[in-house]
Amino acid sequence: MFLFIFLSTLVLIAVRAKKLWIAIEDWFHVYQFFKVPELNETTQHNHLYRKVSLYLHSLPSIEDSVFANLITGKKQNDIVLCLGPNQTIQDHFLGATLFWFNQTGTFVLKIRKVDKRRILRPYLQHIHAVADEIDQQGKRDLRLFINSAHDFGRWRSVPFTHPSTFDTIAMEPDLKTKVKSDLESFLRAKQYYHRLGRVWKRSFLLYGPSGTGKSSFVAAMANFLSYDVYEIDLCKIPNDSDLKSLLLQSTPKSVVVIEDLDRFLADKTARISASGILNFMDGLLTSCCAEERVMVFTMNTKEHVDPNLLRPGRVDVHIHFPLCDFSAFKTLASSYLGVKEHKLFPQVQEIFQNGASLSPAEIGELMIANRNSPSRAIKSVITALQTDGDGRGCGLIGRQTDDDEMDEPDGVVCGEGLHTVKDLRKLYDFFRFRVTRRSSSSNASLPASPLR
């Protein structure tokens, strides 16, 4: 106990001595201060603030700060240090010592006037270079931003930890390869877009029935690009002006998402006008504020949407998300069950060829429920396809051999599989009724994606 008190006293003396030494230095040197606010006068995000934050949190000297916050990093077991509010960190550049203060929503740089002319510009360029390197190496922790229903025109954020990747997405391999190639080309195309006189952005339309993987695909895009995600809930926005304000406050290197756009457009009581949506997609404000962004819009169907809304320039790439086919089923089996081949696969393929299908979400749920037995999981999918798939009424497709029964208890496969899928369908039907009772919806077959 005495040793603990003695050590605590020494630490307190050291902290006070450090403050005293800084005060003595301040007496002999004249300093100048520069503020880096998070928002500028028009409430638009200051991009330098984000880069300074990345830079400061990468400095080894943050460990010497009197107070620092310990937070979870990008991975669950990663622990990172962040500069606490009202705390100071030192940095050294070209023989000069600089001080950064973390105020609420503002970083303050303290620099000696005699050093300012010599190092300020090179130092700021150094910050840009380090922050860009962190971005390129994917070390930056991604965040999910959502607009608040109470604080109109402002974002709130949480860490973005969605595990979806292009490897886990159930999609045709050729289409997946084309999408990845398109995104890689976009990342390298800044000068090309500027030479054309166009804003450096890319717009995607993802359309298809519920449960076909559109939201997971958005998460996979964000992880692939190492971009933050801004998800806009149009129902929480009172007018077109606040929608513009949200776009102004988004940052580069981000995926801006509006889901279920067709349902919102069909809602006659919506407070956002059609012209407000059009201006958000390709208006003058978007051209000025959407640099280095990917815009994503999702729909259940584009059949009843004005084609002018989806013309090239507003939407660059259309991707159709159909119900599951055999190729997507094999991807799901590999991801959920760790199975690449199975003796039941030919039977599953035959069922798909006869017109039965379920959404990837429904099939995935069956596999999760039976993940300890791949054979039982696949037989649950077979039963669900035979009874609940779009090919319902076609009877038992394919022959069920004695080997297929294995050692499963009687009735388990049919009972559990049928119960799970019917519950899912009831949930989807209830959701559709609540959201789209003022509009008609259709899941008819749609034209192929331009990427196909």
Side-chain angles (χ1 to χ4, degrees):
M1 184 65 181
F2 175 77
L3 180 61
F4 175 76
I5 296 174
F6 177 72
L7 292 176
S8 300
T9 304
L10 286 180
V11 170
L12 183 60
I13 292 173
V15 170
R16 290 182 175 177
K18 185 176 181 180
K19 290 182 178 180
L20 179 61
W21 177 252
I22 293 175
I24 293 173
E25 281 190 319
D26 290 347
W27 181 268
F28 290 100
H29 298 285
V30 179
Y31 288 90
Q32 191 163 348
F33 297 84
F34 297 91
K35 289 186 176 182
V36 183
E38 184 176 4
L39 302 176
N40 60 22
E41 294 82 358
T42 60
T43 70
Q44 187 176 359
H45 270 284
N46 180 6
H47 304 322
L48 180 59
Y49 179 89
R50 184 181 67 87
K51 292 194 173 186
V52 169
S53 178
L54 288 175
Y55 175 76
L56 294 181
H57 294 148
S58 71
L59 293 177
S61 56
I62 195 171
E63 298 180 6
D64 299 326
S65 178
V66 178
F67 290 99
N69 294 327
L70 290 171
I71 63 173
T72 302
K74 194 171 185 179
K75 297 180 180 179
Q76 186 175 4
N77 294 329
D78 289 346
I79 304 296
V80 296
L81 284 171
C82 288
L83 193 63
N86 303 317
Q87 296 303 308
T88 305
I89 188 173
Q90 284 188 11
D91 193 16
H92 303 278
F93 185 75
L94 297 180
T97 300
L98 307 97
F99 302 89
W100 284 98
F101 302 92
N102 181 18
Q103 296 180 352
T104 303
T106 302
F107 289 116
V108 180
L109 171 63
K110 175 182 172 184
I111 184 173
R112 294 173 183 169
K113 279 195 172 183
V114 294
D115 296 326
K116 185 191 73 171
R117 291 184 179 275
R118 179 173 63 90
I119 71 165
L120 182 58
R121 287 187 179 277
Y123 182 61
L124 294 177
Q125 293 172 356
H126 171 67
I127 291 175
H128 276 283
V130 172
D132 290 342
E133 183 181 357
I134 293 173
D135 274 336
Q136 292 172 4
Q137 293 178 353
K139 295 179 180 179
R140 182 171 63 95
D141 289 338
L142 304 183
R143 299 195 69 81
L144 169 64
F145 293 82
I146 54 177
N147 56 302
S148 171
H150 305 291
D151 191 4
F152 299 128
R154 298 298 299 272
W155 294 102
R156 294 183 179 180
S157 70
V158 295
F160 182 77
T161 58
H162 199 295
S164 180
T165 67
F166 281 121
D167 292 334
T168 62
I169 292 293
M171 176 181 281
E172 293 179 11
D174 289 344
L175 179 58
K176 190 185 300 185
T177 299
K178 289 179 180 179
V179 172
K180 291 168 66 175
S181 177
D182 185 84
L183 293 174
E184 288 172 342
S185 177
F186 168 76
L187 289 174
R188 300 189 299 266
K190 179 178 182 179
Q191 298 304 322
Y192 175 74
Y193 273 80
H194 288 180
R195 188 166 71 249
L196 295 176
R198 296 184 56 176
V199 61
W200 184 25
K201 73 177 181 71
R202 194 76 168 147
S203 300
F204 288 79
L205 171 66
L206 315 180
Y207 66 99
S210 298
T212 51
K214 299 186 292 293
S215 296
S216 295
F217 184 81
V218 173
M221 292 175 71
N223 286 323
F224 181 78
L225 296 167
S226 192
Y227 277 15
D228 292 324
V229 177
Y230 286 81
E231 184 175 1
I232 298 178
D233 186 345
L234 294 176
C235 296
K236 295 180 180 178
I237 305 175
N239 53 57
D240 294 353
S241 177
D242 281 313
L243 179 60
K244 293 178 181 179
S245 178
L246 287 172
L247 182 61
L248 279 170
Q249 293 176 44
S250 64
T251 61
K253 296 185 181 296
S254 61
V255 179
V256 182
V257 185
I258 293 182
E259 295 199 273
D260 297 323
L261 182 58
D262 55 332
R263 291 175 175 173
F264 180 81
L265 293 173
D267 185 359
K268 303 303 181 183
T269 64
R271 292 173 290 182
I272 305 295
S273 67
S275 62
I277 297 293
L278 293 177
N279 288 330
F280 178 85
M281 297 175 79
D282 73 340
L284 183 61
L285 180 68
T286 304
S287 299
C288 296
C289 305
E291 187 81 346
E292 200 174 2
R293 288 167 177 80
V294 172
M295 316 282 283
V296 180
F297 308 94
T298 74
M299 297 181 179
N300 276 4
T301 174
K302 59 178 183 178
E303 186 172 301
H304 304 295
V305 177
D306 182 359
N308 187 50
L309 188 76
L310 307 178
R311 65 165 176 78
R314 291 197 175 112
V315 178
D316 304 311
V317 181
H318 295 215
I319 304 179
H320 181 216
F321 285 74
L323 294 173
C324 204
D325 59 11
F326 181 63
S327 175
F329 166 82
K330 290 183 68 175
T331 301
L332 292 171
S334 177
S335 298
Y336 284 76
L337 306 174
V339 173
K340 296 187 180 297
E341 292 295 338
H342 195 279
K343 67 179 183 179
L344 293 176
F345 277 10
Q347 187 178 354
V348 177
Q349 185 175 15
E350 183 183 353
I351 296 175
F352 277 117
Q353 289 173 348
N354 280 274
S357 66
L358 295 168
S359 72
E362 291 170 323
I363 292 177
E365 181 59 32
L366 290 172
M367 290 180 174
I368 290 175
N370 298 281
R371 59 187 177 275
N372 293 327
S373 174
S375 295
R376 185 169 67 239
I378 296 172
K379 286 194 285 186
S380 296
V381 173
I382 291 173
T383 302
L385 285 168
Q386 290 171 338
T387 56
D388 291 302
D390 287 347
R392 60 176 57 82
C394 59
L396 295 179
I397 305 173
R399 294 184 301 275
Q400 189 169 357
T401 66
D402 292 338
D403 290 339
D404 293 337
E405 295 298 335
M406 294 185 150
D407 58 352
E408 310 296 348
D410 292 338
V412 171
V413 175
C414 293
E416 289 186 358
L418 181 63
H419 175 75
T420 303
V421 174
K422 281 192 172 180
D423 279 353
L424 285 170
R425 287 192 175 279
K426 287 179 181 178
L427 178 62
Y428 290 153
D429 291 342
F430 175 75
F431 179 72
R432 289 196 189 100
F433 173 75
R434 291 293 300 273
V435 178
T436 64
R437 56 187 174 185
R438 294 188 182 92
S439 63
S440 60
S441 61
S442 171
N443 288 333
S445 177
L446 298 172
S449 161
L451 279 180
R452 292 183 181 272

